Amino acid sequence: MRRLAELSGLVAPVLLLALVGVVGTFTSRSVQFQFRFALVMAAIVIALYVFVGSSGVVSFGHVSFVAVGGFAAGLTTVPEALKLSLSPDLFPVIASAEVGNAASLAIAAAVGGVFALIVGVPLMRLSGLSAGIATFAVLVITNNVLRNWEAIGPGARTLSLVPETTSFLQATVGVIAVAALAFLYQRSRWGRVLRASSDDPAAAQGAGVDIYRQRLLAFALSGALAGFAGGLLVHLLGSITTQQVYLDLAFLTLAMLVIGGFRSLWGAVVGALLVSGINSLLLTAERGLDLGIGEVTVPTGTRLVTLGAVMALILLFRPTGVTGGRELTLR
Amino acid sequence: MRGTTRWSLLLALVLAFGLAAAACGGDDDEGDGGEAAETGGGGEATDEPIVIGAAVDLTGQMAPFDGPAVTAAQIQVDKLNEEGGVAGRELQLRVIDHQLDPERTKSAAIELIDDGADVLLVTCDVDFATPAVQEAITRGVLAVAPCIGTDQMGPERFGDQGKLAFSIGNVAQDEGAAMAEYAIDQGWMRAATATDNVIVYFQDVVKAFAARYTELGGEVVVEESWTQGDGTIQNVVSALDNANVDVIATSTAFDDMPAMVGGLRSLGNDTPIICGWSCDGNYWLPEGTDNFYLVTYASVFGDDPSDEVKELITAMEEQDQAPGTGGFVTGAAAIDAIAAAVEETGGTEGEALADAFEGFEGLETISGEISFSEEFHSVFGREYRVMEVQNSQPSFVELRAASSPAEIE
């Protein structure tokens, strides 16, 4: 019974994600696209949660892994001729790589995971604010390298003509897979150890826990999931630029996690979907939203002001997020 | 109790999503109708309006370019409708402001096409426009950017379906060539170039300048580059100040442009600077800017040589939408070109319209004669307005067409 109650912590997020996937299919095509986008955002936020939620260390740099995953998935599915026209100096191995949708997502996850592992080796020795700032530095460095090194990608140009394979099915199955892996990790011995060590580092170290190694594992796993989510994103939009996977996305995904509650998977899912919903509704309202009882139009810019205000209010009145950082379980 | 609260949160979320879906999904039927119009509309004689969708940015950093172009397009649509429409059909322009958000850019394109758009206007930068362009061309809808200034709208960037992508902007190879030919005619034989790598158009204009300039016997002695917003513009200014050249050629915009020009002038350096359309307008000019030259589509300072252009500016001013740069005229020219293609093909089928566009050679539009080819899906051969800025006041100098687009890699 207890095991069932624990498992129920996965049921609620999966149910909600599946529901969004199903409800979305009944809308118009442009709204369907926004629903699919919300699901992909949820995948990114869950990936971020795997590290932040377990370690208690804020990461501003996870969008780097989304970026490398996105570019990896894009570059391995775009025809060689187009890649070379965008970037004639591309490494031959990247120029000639052409794989299917599923393989490109696997590559995205692998690239994200390996990249996170490499940068994690020095970074995971840091704690608190310095770790957060160091991850921000990773974001800036990654963006500049992607933007200027035309041997590994299109540089400042948009990588276009990426096959748009992130259908509702792929988005929903993809995000549920990410949620399931996040759940399995948090229930695992490693997940519990890291969470315990973030609550009381001294006690954890006293009990023989190697915090550095545990953090590195969480960072690499969450980097792999973020890379995978980047793959879903590029296959949704059909194109990617370095600007799309930079500060705006980093702020937005972190805001989603904080608003939802960064200590639980349920919080990550709720935060991502809630903010995506508010975002879409306000964007529509900026142009005029028909509520059936009359059209509501809000001034342009309301969306960003509202998101900022919601985040500030949540931090003030419910610092643990709308879910209180708790899982939704039967207990 | 706490459990109840949390489950009620789930319920509330479910309800909220249901409501959101209901509110946003209200146009389902229109969407279906749109698809029917899209598949059945092309090439057939019909009384239905010709719908031109515009997925553009009216609030972000492209707003100074997209906004006036869309206003001018609307004025041209109204004008053509007053004259009886196009092929006996009324023109309609439907605009969605996507604020440069890539997700919104794509969903705006989907919404407009589902709503029956026969042609899609997109934002004036190919990188920002890509999600909308891809949506249009994969669904067989002609995508036209009023003022993208690279040759990227076409098959090179978008594969075979790129046949359906065009820009009424100048191909950068042509604009850079016109700048170089003007510079050589002034006797400026030693140049420095300053390349802003932030967008391809900026890079290509400077490349084209350098290519034509050296062909004509000029010498590029200093080549500086930076990326907009990277905080290195003052280093570029220092290097240019030490260059000791006859002219500095650049193509940039946004914040770094006044920083560069103002920085050079504050150092007492009055070397002539020549730029493309991106430097048009006086809203950014630092006080006391002298010896600044640029080529653009139209003069917005009351001295454009074309009466039709002046009338369009007056009409925009009457709507409190006075244009800031000459790029506005491309919005109206886009409508002219679309109208000409519809007249020629008798319908709105994307592939046929694209064939008509590729065949335009010296097509008369409000922005002068424009030409496209299979190679260039952006305009070449346009007569530019060369503008001179003295004491921060731009004025029209001459009309100048490049002898040919420059060859760049």
Side-chain angles (χ1 to χ4, degrees), chain A residues 19 23 26-31 33-35 37 82 85-86 147 157-158 160-161 164 237-239 244 266 270 273-274 283 286-287 300 303 326-329, chain B residues 2 6-7 10 13-14 17 21 24 27-28 35 59 96 99 101-104 106-107 110-111 114 127 130-131 134 139 156-159 197-198 200 203 227:
Chain A
L19 194 76
V23 169
F26 292 102
T27 60
S28 70
R29 282 172 55 162
S30 66
V31 179
F33 181 77
Q34 291 169 29
F35 269 80
F37 190 78
L82 176 79
S85 81
L86 285 171
R147 197 170 176 76
R157 297 173 172 84
T158 301
S160 46
L161 291 186
E164 294 171 21
L237 291 171
S239 62
Q244 282 168 17
W266 176 233
V270 168
L273 296 179
L274 191 66
L283 252 175
E286 284 181 2
R287 296 197 291 117
T300 302
R303 178 175 64 112
R326 298 169 61 95
E327 300 297 354
L328 188 66
T329 59
Chain B
R2 187 174 285 158
R6 282 183 276 138
W7 281 103
L10 176 64
L13 273 167
V14 170
F17 266 96
C24 300
D27 54 356
D28 239 351
E35 275 168 62
T59 38
I96 293 182
Q99 304 181 14
D101 180 324
E103 173 229 350
R104 193 67 200 142
K106 184 148 182 98
S107 64
I110 297 173
E111 189 175 332
D114 279 356
D127 291 309
T130 293
Q134 287 189 171
R139 292 173 68 180
E156 187 184 322
R157 184 62 168 263
F158 295 106
N197 289 320
V198 72
V200 182
Q203 295 173 327
T227 300

Coordinates of all heavy atoms in Angstrom, one line a residue, chain A residues 19 23 26-31 33-35 37 82 85-86 147 157-158 160-161 164 237-239 244 266 270 273-274 283 286-287 300 303 326-329, chain B residues 2 6-7 10 13-14 17 21 24 27-28 35 59 96 99 101-104 106-107 110-111 114 127 130-131 134 139 156-159 197-198 200 203 227:
Chain A
L19 N -3.4 14.4 -20.1 CA -4.7 15.2 -20.3 C -4.4 16.3 -21.3 O -5.2 16.6 -22.2 CB -5.1 15.6 -19.0 CG -6.6 16.1 -18.9 CD1 -7.5 15.0 -18.9 CD2 -6.8 17.0 -17.7
V23 N -6.5 16.8 -24.5 CA -7.4 18.0 -24.7 C -6.9 18.8 -25.9 O -7.7 19.3 -26.7 CB -7.3 18.9 -23.4 CG1 -8.0 20.2 -23.6 CG2 -8.1 18.1 -22.3
F26 N -8.1 18.5 -29.5 CA -9.5 19.0 -29.9 C -9.5 20.5 -30.2 O -10.6 21.0 -30.4 CB -10.5 18.7 -28.8 CG -10.7 17.2 -28.6 CD1 -10.1 16.5 -27.6 CD2 -11.5 16.5 -29.5 CE1 -10.3 15.1 -27.4 CE2 -11.7 15.1 -29.3 CZ -11.1 14.4 -28.3
T27 N -8.4 21.1 -30.3 CA -8.4 22.6 -30.5 C -8.0 22.8 -32.0 O -7.7 21.9 -32.7 CB -7.4 23.2 -29.6 OG1 -6.1 22.7 -29.9 CG2 -7.7 23.0 -28.1
S28 N -8.0 24.1 -32.4 CA -7.6 24.5 -33.7 C -6.1 24.2 -33.9 O -5.4 24.1 -32.9 CB -7.9 25.9 -34.0 OG -7.1 26.7 -33.2
R29 N -5.7 24.2 -35.1 CA -4.3 23.8 -35.3 C -3.3 24.7 -34.7 O -2.2 24.3 -34.2 CB -4.0 23.7 -36.8 CG -4.6 22.5 -37.4 CD -4.5 22.4 -38.9 NE -3.2 22.6 -39.4 CZ -2.8 22.3 -40.7 NH1 -3.7 21.7 -41.4 NH2 -1.6 22.5 -41.1
S30 N -3.6 26.0 -34.7 CA -2.6 26.9 -34.1 C -2.5 26.8 -32.6 O -1.5 26.9 -31.9 CB -2.9 28.4 -34.5 OG -4.1 28.8 -33.9
V31 N -3.7 26.5 -32.0 CA -3.7 26.2 -30.5 C -3.1 24.9 -30.2 O -2.4 24.7 -29.2 CB -5.2 26.3 -30.0 CG1 -5.2 26.1 -28.5 CG2 -5.7 27.7 -30.3
F33 N -0.7 23.7 -31.6 CA 0.8 23.9 -31.6 C 1.2 24.5 -30.3 O 2.3 24.1 -29.7 CB 1.1 24.9 -32.8 CG 2.6 25.2 -32.9 CD1 3.5 24.3 -33.4 CD2 3.1 26.3 -32.3 CE1 4.8 24.5 -33.5 CE2 4.5 26.6 -32.4 CZ 5.3 25.7 -32.9
Q34 N 0.4 25.4 -29.7 CA 0.8 25.9 -28.4 C 0.7 24.9 -27.3 O 1.5 24.9 -26.4 CB -0.2 27.1 -28.1 CG 0.1 28.3 -29.0 CD -1.0 29.4 -28.9 OE1 -1.6 29.5 -27.8 NE2 -1.2 30.1 -29.9
F35 N -0.2 23.9 -27.4 CA -0.3 22.8 -26.5 C 1.0 22.0 -26.6 O 1.5 21.6 -25.6 CB -1.6 22.0 -26.7 CG -2.8 22.5 -25.9 CD1 -3.5 23.5 -26.4 CD2 -3.1 21.8 -24.8 CE1 -4.6 24.0 -25.6 CE2 -4.2 22.3 -24.0 CZ -5.0 23.3 -24.5
F37 N 3.8 22.9 -27.6 CA 4.9 23.7 -27.1 C 4.9 23.6 -25.6 O 6.0 23.4 -25.0 CB 4.8 25.1 -27.6 CG 6.0 26.0 -27.3 CD1 7.1 25.8 -28.1 CD2 6.0 26.9 -26.2 CE1 8.2 26.6 -27.8 CE2 7.1 27.6 -26.0 CZ 8.2 27.5 -26.8
L82 N 22.0 21.6 -47.4 CA 21.5 22.8 -46.7 C 22.5 23.2 -45.6 O 22.8 24.4 -45.4 CB 20.1 22.6 -46.1 CG 19.6 23.8 -45.3 CD1 19.1 24.9 -46.2 CD2 18.6 23.4 -44.3
S85 N 25.3 24.9 -47.1 CA 25.1 26.3 -47.6 C 25.0 27.3 -46.4 O 25.3 28.4 -46.6 CB 23.8 26.3 -48.4 OG 22.6 26.3 -47.6
L86 N 24.5 26.8 -45.3 CA 24.5 27.7 -44.1 C 25.8 27.9 -43.5 O 26.2 28.9 -43.0 CB 23.6 27.1 -43.0 CG 22.1 27.1 -43.2 CD1 21.4 26.3 -42.2 CD2 21.6 28.5 -43.2
R147 N 27.3 30.3 -31.4 CA 27.0 31.5 -32.3 C 28.2 31.8 -33.2 O 28.0 32.3 -34.3 CB 26.7 32.7 -31.4 CG 26.1 33.8 -32.1 CD 25.6 34.8 -31.0 NE 25.1 35.9 -31.7 CZ 23.9 35.9 -32.3 NH1 23.1 34.9 -32.1 NH2 23.4 37.0 -32.9
R157 N 23.2 32.0 -37.9 CA 22.0 31.8 -38.7 C 21.0 30.8 -38.1 O 21.4 30.0 -37.2 CB 22.5 31.2 -40.1 CG 23.4 32.2 -40.8 CD 23.9 31.5 -42.1 NE 24.6 32.4 -43.0 CZ 25.9 32.7 -42.8 NH1 26.6 32.2 -41.8 NH2 26.4 33.5 -43.6
T158 N 19.8 30.8 -38.7 CA 18.8 29.8 -38.2 C 19.0 28.5 -39.0 O 19.2 28.5 -40.2 CB 17.4 30.3 -38.6 OG1 17.2 31.6 -38.0 CG2 16.3 29.4 -38.2
S160 N 17.3 25.8 -40.5 CA 16.0 25.7 -41.0 C 15.8 24.2 -41.6 O 16.7 23.5 -41.6 CB 15.7 26.7 -42.1 OG 16.7 26.8 -43.0
L161 N 14.5 24.0 -42.0 CA 14.2 22.7 -42.6 C 14.4 21.5 -41.7 O 14.6 20.4 -42.2 CB 15.0 22.5 -43.9 CG 14.6 23.4 -45.1 CD1 15.4 23.0 -46.3 CD2 13.1 23.4 -45.3
E164 N 9.6 18.4 -38.9 CA 8.7 18.7 -37.8 C 8.0 17.4 -37.3 O 6.8 17.2 -37.6 CB 7.7 19.8 -38.2 CG 8.4 21.1 -38.5 CD 7.5 22.2 -39.1 OE1 6.3 22.1 -39.0 OE2 8.1 23.1 -39.7
L237 N 9.5 23.1 -33.6 CA 9.6 24.4 -34.3 C 10.0 24.3 -35.8 O 9.7 25.1 -36.6 CB 10.6 25.3 -33.6 CG 10.1 25.8 -32.2 CD1 11.3 26.6 -31.6 CD2 8.9 26.8 -32.4
G238 N 10.8 23.2 -36.1 CA 11.3 23.0 -37.5 C 12.5 23.9 -37.8 O 13.0 23.9 -38.9
S239 N 12.9 24.6 -36.8 CA 14.1 25.5 -37.0 C 14.7 25.8 -35.6 O 14.0 25.7 -34.6 CB 13.8 26.7 -37.7 OG 12.9 27.5 -37.0
Q244 N 17.1 31.5 -29.6 CA 15.9 30.9 -29.0 C 16.2 30.1 -27.8 O 15.3 29.8 -27.0 CB 15.3 29.9 -30.1 CG 14.5 30.6 -31.2 CD 14.2 29.6 -32.3 OE1 14.4 28.4 -32.1 NE2 13.9 30.1 -33.4
W266 N 5.8 17.1 -9.4 CA 4.5 17.6 -9.6 C 4.6 19.2 -9.7 O 3.9 19.8 -10.6 CB 3.6 17.3 -8.3 CG 2.2 17.8 -8.3 CD1 1.7 18.5 -7.3 CD2 1.2 17.7 -9.3 NE1 0.4 18.8 -7.5 CE2 0.1 18.3 -8.8 CE3 1.1 17.1 -10.5 CZ2 -1.1 18.5 -9.5 CZ3 -0.1 17.2 -11.3 CH2 -1.2 17.9 -10.7
V270 N 3.3 21.2 -13.0 CA 2.3 22.2 -12.8 C 2.8 23.6 -13.2 O 2.2 24.4 -13.9 CB 1.8 22.2 -11.3 CG1 0.9 23.5 -11.0 CG2 1.0 21.0 -11.0
L273 N 3.1 23.9 -17.0 CA 1.8 24.0 -17.8 C 1.1 25.3 -17.4 O 0.4 25.9 -18.2 CB 1.0 22.7 -17.5 CG 1.6 21.4 -18.0 CD1 0.7 20.3 -17.6 CD2 1.8 21.5 -19.5
L274 N 1.1 25.6 -16.1 CA 0.4 26.8 -15.6 C 1.0 28.1 -16.3 O 0.2 28.9 -16.9 CB 0.6 26.9 -14.1 CG -0.3 28.0 -13.4 CD1 -1.7 27.5 -13.5 CD2 0.2 28.1 -12.0
L283 N -1.2 36.2 -24.4 CA -0.8 36.5 -25.8 C -2.0 36.7 -26.7 O -2.2 37.6 -27.5 CB 0.1 35.4 -26.4 CG 1.6 35.8 -26.5 CD1 2.4 34.6 -27.0 CD2 1.7 37.0 -27.5
E286 N -3.9 39.8 -25.8 CA -3.3 41.0 -26.3 C -3.8 41.4 -27.7 O -3.8 42.5 -28.1 CB -1.7 40.9 -26.3 CG -1.1 41.0 -25.0 CD 0.4 40.9 -25.0 OE1 1.0 40.7 -26.1 OE2 1.0 41.0 -23.9
R287 N -4.3 40.3 -28.3 CA -4.9 40.6 -29.7 C -6.4 40.6 -29.6 O -7.1 40.9 -30.5 CB -4.6 39.5 -30.6 CG -3.1 39.4 -31.0 CD -2.9 38.6 -32.2 NE -3.2 37.2 -32.0 CZ -4.1 36.5 -32.7 NH1 -4.9 37.2 -33.5 NH2 -4.3 35.3 -32.4
T300 N -0.5 45.5 -25.0 CA 0.7 44.7 -25.4 C 1.7 44.8 -24.3 O 2.0 45.9 -23.8 CB 1.3 45.2 -26.7 OG1 0.3 45.2 -27.7 CG2 2.5 44.4 -27.2
R303 N 1.6 40.4 -20.9 CA 2.1 39.0 -20.7 C 3.3 39.0 -19.8 O 3.4 38.3 -18.8 CB 2.4 38.4 -22.1 CG 2.9 37.0 -22.0 CD 3.0 36.5 -23.4 NE 4.0 37.3 -24.2 CZ 5.2 36.8 -24.6 NH1 5.5 35.5 -24.4 NH2 6.0 37.5 -25.3
R326 N 5.5 19.8 -3.0 CA 5.1 18.4 -2.6 C 4.6 17.7 -3.8 O 4.0 18.2 -4.7 CB 4.1 18.5 -1.5 CG 4.5 19.2 -0.2 CD 3.3 19.4 0.7 NE 2.7 18.2 1.0 CZ 3.0 17.5 2.2 NH1 3.8 18.1 3.0 NH2 2.4 16.4 2.5
E327 N 4.8 16.4 -3.7 CA 4.2 15.5 -4.7 C 2.7 15.4 -4.4 O 2.2 15.5 -3.3 CB 4.8 14.1 -4.7 CG 6.3 14.1 -5.0 CD 6.7 14.7 -6.4 OE1 5.8 14.9 -7.2 OE2 7.9 14.8 -6.7
L328 N 1.9 15.1 -5.5 CA 0.5 14.8 -5.3 C 0.3 13.3 -5.2 O 0.4 12.6 -6.1 CB -0.3 15.4 -6.5 CG -1.8 15.3 -6.4 CD1 -2.2 16.3 -5.3 CD2 -2.4 15.7 -7.7
T329 N 0.2 12.9 -3.9 CA 0.1 11.4 -3.7 C -1.2 11.1 -3.0 O -2.0 11.9 -2.6 CB 1.2 10.9 -2.8 OG1 1.1 11.6 -1.6 CG2 2.6 11.2 -3.5
Chain B
R2 N -5.1 18.6 3.7 CA -4.0 19.1 2.7 C -4.1 18.3 1.4 O -4.0 18.9 0.3 CB -2.7 18.9 3.4 CG -1.6 19.6 2.5 CD -0.3 19.5 3.2 NE -0.2 20.5 4.3 CZ 0.7 20.4 5.3 NH1 1.5 19.3 5.4 NH2 0.7 21.3 6.3
R6 N -4.7 19.7 -2.5 CA -3.8 19.4 -3.6 C -4.6 18.8 -4.7 O -4.4 19.1 -5.9 CB -2.6 18.5 -3.2 CG -1.6 19.3 -2.4 CD -0.4 18.5 -2.1 NE -0.6 17.8 -0.8 CZ -0.3 16.5 -0.6 NH1 0.3 15.8 -1.6 NH2 -0.5 15.9 0.5
W7 N -5.5 17.9 -4.4 CA -6.3 17.3 -5.5 C -7.2 18.3 -6.1 O -7.5 18.3 -7.3 CB -7.1 16.1 -5.0 CG -6.2 14.9 -4.8 CD1 -5.7 14.4 -3.7 CD2 -5.8 14.1 -5.9 NE1 -4.9 13.3 -4.0 CE2 -5.0 13.1 -5.4 CE3 -6.0 14.1 -7.3 CZ2 -4.3 12.1 -6.1 CZ3 -5.4 13.1 -8.0 CH2 -4.5 12.1 -7.5
L10 N -5.4 20.0 -8.8 CA -5.4 19.3 -10.0 C -6.7 19.5 -10.8 O -6.7 19.8 -12.0 CB -5.2 17.8 -9.7 CG -5.2 16.9 -11.0 CD1 -4.1 17.2 -11.9 CD2 -5.2 15.4 -10.6
L13 N -6.7 22.9 -12.3 CA -5.9 22.9 -13.5 C -6.5 22.3 -14.7 O -6.5 22.8 -15.8 CB -4.5 22.2 -13.2 CG -3.5 23.1 -12.6 CD1 -2.3 22.2 -12.1 CD2 -2.9 24.0 -13.6
V14 N -7.2 21.2 -14.5 CA -7.9 20.5 -15.6 C -9.0 21.4 -16.1 O -9.1 21.6 -17.3 CB -8.5 19.2 -15.0 CG1 -9.5 18.6 -16.1 CG2 -7.4 18.2 -14.7
F17 N -7.4 24.2 -18.1 CA -7.0 23.8 -19.5 C -8.2 23.6 -20.4 O -8.2 24.0 -21.5 CB -6.2 22.5 -19.4 CG -4.7 22.9 -19.3 CD1 -4.1 22.9 -18.1 CD2 -4.0 23.2 -20.5 CE1 -2.7 23.3 -18.1 CE2 -2.7 23.5 -20.5 CZ -2.0 23.6 -19.3
A21 N -8.7 25.7 -23.7 CA -8.9 25.1 -25.0 C -10.1 25.6 -25.6 O -10.2 25.9 -26.8 CB -8.9 23.6 -24.8
C24 N -9.6 29.3 -26.7 CA -8.6 29.4 -27.8 C -9.1 28.6 -29.0 O -8.8 28.9 -30.2 CB -7.2 29.0 -27.5 SG -6.6 29.9 -26.1
D27 N -12.0 29.0 -32.9 CA -11.9 29.2 -34.4 C -11.8 27.9 -35.1 O -11.3 27.9 -36.3 CB -10.8 30.2 -34.7 CG -9.5 29.8 -34.2 OD1 -9.5 28.8 -33.4 OD2 -8.5 30.5 -34.4
D28 N -12.1 26.8 -34.5 CA -12.0 25.5 -35.1 C -12.6 25.5 -36.5 O -12.1 25.0 -37.5 CB -12.6 24.4 -34.3 CG -11.6 23.4 -33.9 OD1 -10.5 23.4 -34.4 OD2 -11.9 22.5 -33.0
E35 N -8.8 25.7 -44.5 CA -8.1 24.7 -45.2 C -8.8 24.4 -46.6 O -8.1 24.2 -47.6 CB -8.1 23.4 -44.4 CG -6.9 23.4 -43.4 CD -7.0 22.2 -42.4 OE1 -7.1 21.1 -42.9 OE2 -7.2 22.5 -41.2
T59 N 5.9 44.8 -32.0 CA 6.3 45.3 -30.7 C 7.8 45.1 -30.4 O 8.3 45.8 -29.5 CB 5.5 44.6 -29.6 OG1 5.3 43.3 -29.9 CG2 4.2 45.3 -29.4
I96 N -1.1 39.4 -37.6 CA -0.9 39.0 -36.2 C 0.5 39.4 -35.8 O 1.5 39.2 -36.5 CB -1.0 37.4 -36.1 CG1 -2.5 37.0 -36.4 CG2 -0.6 36.9 -34.7 CD1 -2.7 35.5 -36.2
Q99 N 5.5 39.2 -32.0 CA 6.5 39.7 -31.0 C 7.8 39.0 -31.1 O 8.6 38.9 -30.1 CB 5.9 39.7 -29.6 CG 4.6 40.4 -29.5 CD 4.1 40.4 -28.0 OE1 4.7 40.1 -27.1 NE2 2.8 40.8 -27.9
D101 N 8.5 36.0 -30.9 CA 8.6 34.7 -30.2 C 8.5 33.6 -31.2 O 7.5 33.5 -31.9 CB 7.4 34.7 -29.2 CG 7.3 33.5 -28.4 OD1 7.6 32.4 -28.9 OD2 6.9 33.6 -27.2
P102 N 9.5 32.7 -31.2 CA 9.4 31.7 -32.3 C 8.2 30.8 -32.3 O 7.6 30.4 -33.3 CB 10.7 30.8 -32.0 CG 11.2 31.2 -30.7 CD 10.6 32.6 -30.4
E103 N 7.7 30.4 -31.1 CA 6.5 29.6 -31.0 C 5.3 30.4 -31.5 O 4.5 29.9 -32.3 CB 6.3 29.3 -29.5 CG 5.0 28.6 -29.2 CD 4.2 29.2 -28.1 OE1 4.8 30.1 -27.4 OE2 3.1 28.9 -27.9
R104 N 5.3 31.7 -31.2 CA 4.1 32.5 -31.6 C 4.2 32.8 -33.1 O 3.2 32.9 -33.8 CB 4.2 33.8 -30.8 CG 3.0 34.6 -30.9 CD 1.8 34.0 -30.2 NE 0.6 34.6 -30.7 CZ -0.5 33.9 -30.9 NH1 -0.6 32.7 -30.7 NH2 -1.6 34.6 -31.4
K106 N 5.3 30.8 -35.3 CA 4.8 29.6 -36.1 C 3.3 29.5 -35.9 O 2.6 29.3 -36.9 CB 5.5 28.4 -35.6 CG 5.1 27.1 -36.3 CD 6.2 26.1 -36.4 CE 5.8 24.9 -37.2 NZ 6.2 25.0 -38.5
S107 N 2.8 29.7 -34.7 CA 1.4 29.5 -34.5 C 0.6 30.6 -35.2 O -0.6 30.4 -35.6 CB 1.0 29.3 -33.0 OG 1.3 30.5 -32.3
I110 N 0.3 29.4 -38.7 CA -0.7 28.4 -38.8 C -2.1 29.0 -38.8 O -3.0 28.6 -39.6 CB -0.6 27.4 -37.6 CG1 0.8 26.7 -37.7 CG2 -1.7 26.3 -37.6 CD1 1.1 25.8 -36.5
E111 N -2.3 29.9 -37.8 CA -3.7 30.5 -37.7 C -4.1 31.3 -38.9 O -5.2 31.1 -39.4 CB -3.6 31.4 -36.4 CG -5.0 31.9 -36.0 CD -4.9 32.8 -34.8 OE1 -4.1 32.5 -33.9 OE2 -5.8 33.6 -34.6
D114 N -4.7 28.8 -41.7 CA -6.0 28.1 -41.5 C -7.2 29.0 -41.7 O -8.3 28.5 -42.0 CB -6.0 27.5 -40.0 CG -5.3 26.2 -39.9 OD1 -4.8 25.7 -40.9 OD2 -5.1 25.7 -38.8
D127 N 16.0 35.0 -40.2 CA 16.2 34.1 -39.0 C 14.9 34.2 -38.2 O 14.4 33.1 -37.7 CB 17.4 34.5 -38.2 CG 18.7 34.2 -39.0 OD1 18.8 33.1 -39.5 OD2 19.5 35.1 -39.2
T130 N 11.9 32.5 -40.1 CA 11.9 31.1 -40.6 C 10.7 30.2 -40.1 O 10.1 29.5 -41.0 CB 13.2 30.5 -40.1 OG1 14.3 31.1 -40.9 CG2 13.3 29.0 -40.4
P131 N 10.3 30.3 -38.8 CA 9.2 29.4 -38.5 C 7.9 29.7 -39.3 O 7.2 28.7 -39.7 CB 8.9 29.7 -37.0 CG 10.2 30.2 -36.5 CD 10.8 31.0 -37.7
Q134 N 8.5 28.6 -43.1 CA 8.4 27.1 -43.3 C 7.0 26.6 -43.3 O 6.6 25.7 -44.0 CB 9.3 26.4 -42.3 CG 10.7 26.5 -42.5 CD 11.6 25.7 -41.6 OE1 12.8 25.6 -41.9 NE2 11.1 25.1 -40.6
R139 N 3.0 24.3 -46.9 CA 1.5 24.2 -47.2 C 1.2 24.8 -48.5 O 0.0 25.0 -48.8 CB 0.7 24.8 -46.0 CG 0.9 23.9 -44.8 CD 0.3 24.6 -43.6 NE -1.2 24.6 -43.7 CZ -2.0 25.1 -42.7 NH1 -1.5 25.6 -41.6 NH2 -3.3 25.0 -42.9
E156 N 17.9 28.1 -51.6 CA 19.2 27.9 -50.9 C 18.9 27.7 -49.5 O 19.5 26.8 -48.8 CB 20.1 29.1 -51.2 CG 21.5 28.8 -50.6 CD 22.4 30.1 -50.7 OE1 22.3 30.8 -51.7 OE2 23.2 30.3 -49.8
R157 N 18.0 28.4 -48.9 CA 17.8 28.3 -47.4 C 16.7 27.3 -47.1 O 16.7 26.7 -46.1 CB 17.4 29.7 -46.9 CG 17.2 29.8 -45.4 CD 18.5 29.5 -44.7 NE 18.3 29.8 -43.3 CZ 18.8 31.0 -42.8 NH1 19.4 31.8 -43.5 NH2 18.7 31.2 -41.5
F158 N 15.7 27.2 -48.0 CA 14.5 26.5 -47.7 C 14.3 25.2 -48.6 O 13.2 24.7 -48.6 CB 13.3 27.4 -47.7 CG 13.3 28.4 -46.6 CD1 13.6 29.8 -46.9 CD2 13.1 28.1 -45.3 CE1 13.6 30.7 -46.0 CE2 13.2 29.1 -44.3 CZ 13.5 30.4 -44.6
G159 N 15.3 24.8 -49.3 CA 15.2 23.6 -50.1 C 14.3 23.9 -51.3 O 14.0 25.0 -51.7
N197 N 28.1 40.9 -37.1 CA 27.8 39.5 -37.4 C 26.4 39.1 -36.9 O 26.1 37.9 -37.0 CB 28.8 38.6 -36.8 CG 30.2 38.7 -37.6 OD1 30.2 38.8 -38.8 ND2 31.3 38.7 -36.9
V198 N 25.6 40.0 -36.4 CA 24.4 39.5 -35.7 C 23.4 39.0 -36.7 O 22.7 38.0 -36.4 CB 23.8 40.7 -34.9 CG1 23.2 41.7 -35.7 CG2 22.8 40.1 -33.9
V200 N 22.7 37.9 -41.0 CA 23.3 37.6 -42.3 C 23.3 38.8 -43.2 O 24.2 39.1 -44.0 CB 22.6 36.4 -43.0 CG1 23.3 36.1 -44.3 CG2 22.6 35.2 -42.1
Q203 N 26.1 41.2 -42.6 CA 27.3 40.6 -43.1 C 27.4 40.7 -44.6 O 28.5 41.1 -45.1 CB 27.4 39.1 -42.7 CG 27.5 38.9 -41.2 CD 27.4 37.4 -40.8 OE1 26.7 36.6 -41.5 NE2 28.0 37.0 -39.8
T227 N 29.8 41.4 -32.9 CA 28.4 41.0 -32.9 C 27.6 41.9 -32.1 O 27.9 42.1 -30.9 CB 28.3 39.5 -32.4 OG1 29.1 38.7 -33.3 CG2 26.8 39.0 -32.5

